[in-house]
Amino acid sequence: MKRDKYLKPVRPASAGERLTTSAMIASLASEGQRTKPAPFGHALAALAQSRPEILGLTADLGKYTDLHIFAQAHPDRFYQMGMAEQLLMASAAGFAREGFMPFATTYAVFASRRAYDFICMAIAEEDLDVKIACALPGLSTGYGPSHQATEDIAIFRGMPNLTIVDPCDAHEIEQMVPAVAAHRGPVYMRLPRGNVPLVLDEYGYRFELGKAKLLQDGTDVLVVSTGFMTMRALEAAKLLRNDRIDVGVLHVPTIKPLDEAAILEAARKPGRLLVVAENHSTIGGLGEAVAGVLLRAGVTPAFRQIGLPDAFLDAGALPTLHDRYGISTEAVARRISAWVGGQTNHAQTGAVA
């Protein structure tokens, strides 16, 4: 059987060795990767020292959204609302009306599915200064459909007044928190939590709300990515260099409003494949947003999507699930390699890719 060159060898467990990875708290970091603990909680606690209007609210998930760091630093400004996400959002709206800036934390599934109408009517319609920070976006937990927010961007993209941010790593989260606080109006943030990888500092990256950034250019492929899929795209690009496939990566941390100018400028470079990669369903997320921008502008590169399927996903260990659903580094590299090979074959035969 031919060995897949993009698969990492799996070390078997030794006798008596315990498997300690939890499906809920598993880190997105690969073995040996640099990480920072709870970057959101630390950044918010630090910012709140000079911003007395900042409050922290959660629906019984302070520890699991990293808000416990804020609670320890500012106990008089921390509110535990219990398992009541609708009450959480309504209370945040009330605080905002009184001049406070509440950061409301929960899981992305509970904000998008359970509390949608409260966010829409109490927060977004009134354009209140509420920041909604949600852990476990997309396939970042192995606990199955009840906790996997694979469609949250699709749910929220159509909501007026709501800004949507999907940061890549700890470096970006640390910069994102003060930028979001400086922005007037409601914001929805998809947050990795716990020990969060460090990647973007190696690229001299600076977060700007509403701006996409070209991290590296490439002649064969441009990956337009968001969230931790930017990390995966950068890792896949390194693997693909061995196949002499040159991959550029355009990081898009703000899903709404979308940086259309940056996307169009990058997409107009002739002769390369454009791939959108996201930790979200291929329906209603960044991929379809980018496709709409391209079509409206009459820019038509060869276009592919890497994302989650239109399905309720399995439970299990994250590395297994990421490879199964095509968002692991190795899976991204395999798919891009196959697409580039297909393009070459089409070009040689005169067919359209």
Side-chain angles (χ1 to χ4, degrees):
M1 182 176 174
K2 186 177 179 181
R3 185 178 183 86
D4 192 322
K5 62 183 174 182
Y6 295 125
L7 286 180
K8 294 179 181 176
V10 178
R11 178 181 60 83
S14 60
E17 184 178 1
R18 295 179 60 203
L19 298 177
T20 57
T21 299
S22 163
M24 177 59 79
I25 64 173
S27 174
L28 296 169
S30 57
E31 186 176 355
Q33 188 173 27
R34 296 179 306 131
T35 63
K36 273 195 173 183
F40 167 71
H42 286 293
L44 186 63
L47 181 64
Q49 291 179 5
S50 59
R51 301 288 297 271
E53 74 276 17
I54 290 178
L55 308 177
L57 285 70
T58 190
D60 204 32
L61 289 172
K63 180 180 178 182
Y64 300 101
T65 59
D66 292 342
L67 193 65
H68 66 292
I69 304 296
F70 175 90
Q72 293 165 4
H74 306 283
D76 57 325
R77 289 191 267 164
F78 172 73
Y79 293 87
Q80 171 59 267
M81 309 307 296
M83 293 185 185
E85 290 77 17
Q86 295 172 340
L87 175 63
L88 169 70
M89 299 305 169
S91 299
F95 278 123
R97 282 186 170 278
E98 295 302 315
F100 294 98
M101 184 187 295
F103 279 73
T105 73
T106 182
Y107 289 157
V109 284
F110 302 147
S112 57
R113 298 178 191 165
R114 190 172 298 168
Y116 176 89
D117 192 52
F118 281 72
I119 294 172
C120 186
M121 293 290 98
I123 296 173
E125 186 187 25
E126 302 298 324
D127 200 21
L128 296 178
D129 209 12
V130 176
K131 318 305 180 184
I132 303 165
C134 291
L136 304 187
L139 185 53
S140 53
T141 175
Y143 268 29
S146 64
H147 286 74
Q148 294 163 347
T150 59
E151 77 282 34
D152 57 322
I153 293 175
I155 289 171
F156 282 131
R157 269 183 63 216
M159 186 179 290
N161 294 334
L162 186 66
T163 296
I164 303 173
V165 184
D166 192 9
C168 171
D169 72 342
H171 179 72
E172 184 162 44
I173 291 170
E174 290 174 339
Q175 298 178 10
M176 180 197 68
V177 169
V180 162
H183 170 77
R184 176 67 179 83
V187 179
Y188 173 70
M189 293 167 277
R190 306 178 97 216
L191 288 179
R193 52 76 188 278
N195 292 321
V196 179
L198 271 171
V199 179
L200 297 183
D201 57 325
E202 299 178 9
Y203 295 83
Y205 175 82
R206 296 294 302 175
F207 173 82
E208 291 183 74
L209 191 66
K211 296 296 183 181
K213 297 293 178 69
L214 187 66
L215 302 180
Q216 64 184 42
D217 210 350
T219 57
D220 301 312
V221 181
L222 174 69
V223 178
V224 179
S225 55
T226 189
F228 74 73
M229 288 307 293
T230 292
M231 175 177 69
R232 296 283 162 84
L234 292 167
E235 292 168 347
K238 293 177 182 178
L239 293 178
L240 289 164
R241 286 175 194 159
N242 296 326
D243 288 348
R244 297 184 179 180
I245 298 174
D246 192 24
V247 178
V249 179
L250 179 69
H251 178 47
V252 184
T254 307
I255 308 297
K256 184 184 178 185
L258 198 60
D259 189 350
E260 297 188 6
I263 291 168
L264 289 172
E265 180 182 358
R268 284 193 171 104
K269 188 171 183 177
R272 65 178 176 180
L273 175 69
L274 190 150
V275 178
V276 178
E278 58 186 317
N279 171 37
H280 184 273
S281 168
T282 55
I283 294 177
L286 178 65
E288 291 192 348
V290 169
V293 169
L294 298 177
L295 285 172
R296 287 192 293 271
V299 178
T300 55
F303 180 91
R304 300 288 185 273
Q305 283 183 265
I306 293 175
L308 301 172
D310 179 26
F312 293 109
L313 307 185
D314 295 335
L318 273 185
T320 300
L321 294 176
H322 283 188
D323 205 56
R324 178 177 301 171
Y325 293 114
I327 63 171
S328 67
T329 297
E330 295 76 18
V332 170
R334 286 195 298 268
R335 295 176 76 178
I336 291 176
S337 180
W339 286 330
V340 170
Q343 273 195 310
T344 302
N345 292 336
H346 285 312
Q348 290 171 347
T349 61
V352 178

